Amino acid sequence: MKKNILLKTIFASLLISNSLFATENLNNSLGYLTDINLEENYTIRKHIRNSLQTENVSQEKSIYNKLDYIHYHDKYEGHLNGKGKNNLYLATFGHKINENDNIGLVIGGGEHKINFNNPIKIKRQSLFVGGYYSHNFSKNLNIISILSYDYSHDSTKINNNSSTSPAMSLSIGSHLNYLLTNTFGNLYLNGGIDWSKIFQGTYKNGTADTKKNTEYYDSLRPTVGLNNIHSFKINDKNLNLNFSANYEKELGNIKNKKILWNNGKRNHINTLNKDDLINLGANANLELTENFQVGINYNKLLSKDYKQDIYGINFLYAMEKPILSGYNGLNFLDKNKRFRVSTNIMLETEDYDDNSAGTAGSTAYSPRLILVVNDKKGNFSYQMDTFYKTEDWFGGQKNKEPKDTNRRINPQINWKGIQIGDNLKIHGYLGWRNQVRKQTDSKGNHFRAVTDSYRIAPGINYIFNKNITFAGSTLLAMDELNNTQASVEYSHNYWMENIYGFRFNLNKNLILTTNIYRLDKKYIGTSNKSAANTQFRPVLRYNFIDGSYMQLQGRFALNNGERVKSRTGIVATNNEETRYTATIGHKFTDYFTAYAEVTMNSFKKTKNIDKTITRESRTLGKVGFIYNFDI
């Protein structure tokens, strides 16, 4: 009898130990998701750079479309051992602006399956959006710049425990290629640097819960190497071969231990040692016809804990001009007419990383219209900004999830201003905003909040010289709020928003703006509180020759972010916002421009009473187009 009890005790202990071990491995595997997302982003960026060096699109064949298939194998040898397979599909829309300038938009995604030996299974669905710009300074020197965003929805599972979690990375970087010699092929020395901001979202499984706490990491990765391009003629067909060897060094904190939240506590774990990476590659591109090219490539990535074999094939079709370039039926621009109408139509998305139910929260969608009528012969323009936001489109509303809708109309009169002297200009606008938000909670209770906002915003521009301008505005506003919730009565907000800074024209294409933002707000009503918020908001924009552009923006909290004071003047909370926004715009014609934008946004909230800290994050997406015409 005692022997049976002893055996049962040992068996139960083994089961508990295995269960705890499995849960620990599941939690630890979540630390790998940021590494996996980052390497996928860098893999695609390397593929774009390698392809651009071997593709041959003449200036006459200025428009090209390309389809890429990339398959790669991963091998993990760090804290957890395992293997992975990934299939990626990319579509590129490129434009050869002239002999020296080349731009393109890349969009795609795929599926990634990883099996760790514990056993842990990870399944990823990813979306990639990026843009590149290639410029030849001379026959011997070229630069390739890439802005890219990689989002993945990751599902991890071990035994009966599972979790879903998002991961994303926003990257920007430039690489130079310098021709050393053309004695045997063209031998290039290449080098550059990439920077990424990587986000690890919330997760929830049988034992661990981040409780909305999220983490950000940074990657700073310089690269140096050699590549040798050989060009051949095969039956009058051009063949380009490219052999490359590169060394990469990881300098960001992504190489350190990862932070895993478990019921409000931060834990540190080791994942991968990939501080030093070697990348070996071979690419081939063959022109089958005057307009059609096919390319293949192989790359191998080596590091201490991570190895990767990459196989790719692509098809490129070049055209002399866009399909609709000869169609001028929508071109109603006429400089002799008085009014220029600009219609900015977009679809915005907003997705909070809320894993309180064990799965990612639903996405809110907002169709939005900004209509501007500019009086070219007068001193005013007239603007209307309106949107409608809901979560129940495209099957996004989850079962029993509370409903939340929001709509806004915002008419505004813009005063172009007057010139005072040679350098100073004063301008501004006057507007009214009506916003209605309707909510239904999980119990069916209805709430309706209406806000009427009256606003006036004088602004100035002072030109120091052709390269430096000081500009900004002060927004003075009053909000009237009505809320149907029993505990919230009619109230007012008074607020002042200042944003001032310097604009630097670094060269004819590159513009840097450094703004300081300050918001002061006073709540009059039952809360009777006040708030102040100071931020640094830089903007870096590159304008291409044809009117297209790339832009990177940031928001960084100063003085602990938004400080909310109670009616007695005690600071109750500090809310620090960090935001990274990447925008790519492509000008098709003088009257039509399309654009895409992605924002990674996080909030760190500190309660001063008990010093508790919570983090909340969201992803904002935007696609749209601007159409201009004269009346």
Side-chain angles (χ1 to χ4, degrees):
M1 183 70 179
K2 292 182 179 179
K3 184 176 181 181
N4 289 336
I5 294 174
L6 179 61
L7 288 173
K8 290 179 179 179
T9 303
I10 294 173
F11 182 67
S13 299
L14 288 172
L15 286 177
I16 294 172
S17 177
N18 286 335
S19 177
L20 291 174
F21 180 69
T23 301
E24 179 185 0
N25 284 331
L26 173 62
N27 296 341
N28 289 344
S29 70
L30 296 167
Y32 279 69
L33 299 180
T34 51
D35 284 313
I36 294 168
N37 180 278
L38 176 66
E39 291 309 320
E40 178 179 80
N41 199 335
Y42 278 154
T43 294
I44 298 175
R45 294 167 66 85
K46 293 170 196 169
H47 179 82
I48 293 171
R49 289 198 299 265
N50 291 338
S51 296
L52 285 173
Q53 288 184 293
T54 53
E55 291 164 1
N56 182 23
V57 179
S58 67
Q59 186 177 348
E60 291 76 19
K61 311 292 182 183
S62 61
I63 304 296
Y64 57 94
N65 302 303
K66 187 158 69 84
L67 179 65
D68 285 88
Y69 168 70
I70 305 173
H71 174 80
Y72 63 81
H73 294 264
D74 306 293
K75 187 176 182 180
Y76 303 93
E77 299 174 343
H79 189 70
L80 299 173
N81 294 327
K83 294 181 179 180
K85 292 182 180 180
N86 195 359
N87 292 306
L88 290 168
Y89 303 89
L90 303 174
T92 300
F93 308 93
H95 183 196
K96 184 84 170 181
I97 302 172
N98 53 42
E99 186 177 352
N100 296 318
D101 296 281
N102 191 357
I103 64 172
L105 174 67
V106 183
I107 186 169
E111 185 174 86
H112 195 175
K113 294 181 179 180
I114 303 168
N115 292 320
F116 288 108
N117 296 337
N118 290 289
I120 303 168
K121 294 184 178 180
I122 298 177
K123 186 176 181 180
R124 306 172 62 247
Q125 284 87 32
S126 61
L127 167 70
F128 178 90
V129 180
Y132 62 79
Y133 174 57
S134 174
H135 175 71
N136 298 322
F137 294 102
S138 66
K139 293 182 179 180
N140 298 335
L141 183 62
N142 165 270
I143 188 171
I144 299 173
S145 300
I146 303 175
L147 176 65
S148 63
Y149 169 80
D150 193 300
Y151 170 86
S152 59
H153 181 83
D154 308 319
S155 176
T156 60
K157 185 175 182 180
I158 181 171
N159 297 338
N160 294 322
N161 284 327
S162 63
S163 177
T164 60
S165 178
M168 60 196 81
S169 54
L170 178 65
S171 305
I172 186 170
S174 295
H175 288 250
L176 287 164
N177 299 284
Y178 178 72
L179 180 62
L180 294 175
T181 178
N182 54 8
T183 303
F184 182 70
N186 293 326
L187 180 64
Y188 290 89
L189 172 67
N190 63 73
I193 191 165
D194 291 288
W195 169 83
S196 293
K197 176 65 69 171
I198 309 101
F199 168 77
Q200 168 67 71
T202 58
Y203 62 88
K204 181 180 181 180
N205 56 47
T207 61
D209 188 350
T210 58
K211 297 186 181 298
K212 290 190 177 182
N213 290 303
T214 54
E215 287 293 333
Y216 278 90
Y217 303 97
D218 288 284
S219 171
L220 186 66
R221 191 174 294 187
T223 303
V224 64
L226 296 169
N227 62 292
N228 199 335
I229 299 177
H230 298 263
S231 297
F232 303 93
K233 284 281 189 179
I234 301 178
N235 293 330
D236 295 327
K237 311 295 183 184
N238 292 322
L239 173 66
N240 291 326
L241 299 178
N242 183 12
F243 302 96
S244 61
N246 290 276
Y247 169 74
E248 305 173 24
K249 178 69 175 178
E250 180 60 70
L251 302 177
N253 67 353
I254 186 73
K255 70 179 182 180
N256 300 332
K257 291 184 177 181
K258 302 300 185 299
I259 303 296
L260 292 181
W261 286 88
N262 190 349
N263 293 314
K265 295 182 180 180
R266 301 173 96 227
N267 302 297
H268 294 77
I269 68 157
N270 290 310
T271 53
L272 295 174
N273 183 341
K274 53 183 181 63
D275 303 353
D276 301 281
L277 301 101
I278 295 175
N279 183 34
L280 306 174
N283 296 63
N285 184 270
L286 177 64
E287 294 184 10
L288 295 177
T289 69
E290 185 177 329
N291 296 326
F292 184 64
Q293 302 176 25
V294 61
I296 59 173
N297 65 79
Y298 170 76
N299 285 76
K300 189 172 187 67
L301 189 70
L302 300 168
S303 68
K304 183 176 180 180
D305 291 340
Y306 178 68
K307 295 174 178 60
Q308 188 182 71
D309 290 283
I310 309 165
Y311 309 87
I313 185 170
N314 64 78
F315 303 93
L316 182 148
Y317 183 76
M319 299 175 286
E320 295 181 6
K321 55 186 179 180
I323 296 175
L324 297 177
S325 62
Y327 178 72
N328 212 30
L330 294 176
N331 185 3
F332 297 104
L333 297 180
D334 187 347
K335 64 180 181 180
N336 295 319
K337 291 187 177 180
R338 180 166 181 174
F339 295 99
R340 168 68 55 86
V341 180
S342 175
T343 56
N344 187 350
I345 300 173
M346 69 194 83
L347 179 66
E348 297 178 313
T349 63
E350 183 176 8
D351 191 354
Y352 274 91
D353 179 29
D354 178 8
N355 229 336
S356 56
T359 56
S362 61
T363 301
Y365 297 90
S366 303
R368 183 178 176 187
L369 168 66
I370 301 176
L371 182 67
V372 179
V373 180
N374 178 33
D375 185 352
K376 292 186 285 186
K377 297 181 181 180
N379 207 25
F380 294 94
S381 67
Y382 310 92
Q383 178 176 316
M384 173 62 76
D385 181 0
T386 181
F387 73 79
Y388 177 79
K389 181 169 72 173
T390 181
E391 294 175 336
D392 57 4
W393 285 9
F394 309 115
Q397 190 83 38
K398 289 184 171 55
N399 187 31
K400 296 182 179 180
E401 186 177 27
K403 294 183 179 180
D404 189 354
T405 62
N406 207 345
R407 69 112 175 108
R408 181 175 78 196
I409 56 172
N410 183 188
Q412 184 173 298
I413 300 175
N414 302 319
W415 176 47
K416 299 177 187 178
I418 58 173
Q419 193 74 35
I420 301 176
D422 295 331
N423 300 332
L424 179 63
K425 185 177 184 180
I426 299 176
H427 56 90
Y429 70 82
L430 179 69
W432 167 71
R433 174 182 292 179
N434 173 263
Q435 194 151 327
V436 179
R437 184 178 184 185
K438 297 179 181 180
Q439 295 173 281
T440 303
D441 64 18
S442 57
K443 297 180 181 179
N445 299 314
H446 300 278
F447 307 102
R448 187 174 187 267
V450 180
T451 304
D452 287 295
S453 180
Y454 306 91
R455 46 187 59 201
I456 184 171
I460 65 169
N461 283 66
Y462 186 86
I463 300 174
F464 288 94
N465 55 50
K466 64 178 182 179
N467 295 322
I468 302 176
T469 300
F470 177 77
S473 65
T474 297
L475 172 62
L476 303 172
M478 180 189 73
D479 294 344
E480 294 180 351
L481 294 90
N482 287 281
N483 197 317
T484 61
Q485 296 185 59
S487 60
V488 181
E489 64 180 26
Y490 173 84
S491 61
H492 285 85
N493 289 343
Y494 295 95
W495 48 292
M496 179 172 64
E497 183 181 82
N498 291 284
I499 181 165
Y500 289 88
F502 290 92
R503 170 187 166 121
F504 302 94
N505 297 322
L506 302 180
N507 58 40
K508 64 179 181 180
N509 301 106
L510 187 62
I511 301 169
L512 172 65
T513 304
T514 56
N515 286 323
I516 297 295
Y517 170 88
R518 170 74 180 192
L519 173 65
D520 291 277
K521 205 164 190 176
K522 181 70 175 177
Y523 300 83
I524 307 299
T526 53
S527 61
N528 195 27
K529 60 186 179 180
S530 62
N533 189 12
T534 307
Q535 293 179 334
F536 176 55
R537 295 186 174 183
V539 181
L540 185 65
R541 181 184 177 105
Y542 191 89
N543 295 313
F544 301 117
I545 296 173
D546 70 334
S548 301
Y549 64 92
M550 280 185 179
Q551 184 169 283
L552 192 65
Q553 304 176 68
R555 293 187 185 181
F556 307 101
L558 302 175
N559 194 26
N560 294 323
E562 183 186 38
R563 298 162 57 84
V564 181
K565 294 183 180 180
S566 65
R567 66 178 68 192
T568 58
I570 298 175
V571 178
T573 60
N574 292 90
N575 191 12
E576 301 178 45
E577 180 190 16
T578 304
R579 179 182 293 212
Y580 301 90
T581 301
T583 310
I584 299 172
H586 183 59
K587 183 179 178 181
F588 289 90
T589 67
D590 290 338
Y591 57 89
F592 187 83
T593 298
Y595 60 90
E597 181 176 288
V598 174
T599 296
M600 297 165 59
N601 194 200
S602 69
F603 303 91
K604 176 185 175 184
K605 189 173 183 178
T606 305
K607 291 184 178 180
N608 289 349
I609 297 175
D610 54 9
K611 303 300 180 183
T612 57
I613 297 175
T614 58
R615 288 174 169 84
E616 189 169 296
S617 298
R618 62 178 177 171
T619 305
L620 304 169
K622 184 186 300 182
V623 292
F625 64 87
I626 301 171
Y627 173 60
N628 299 315
F629 60 94
D630 292 329
I631 56 176

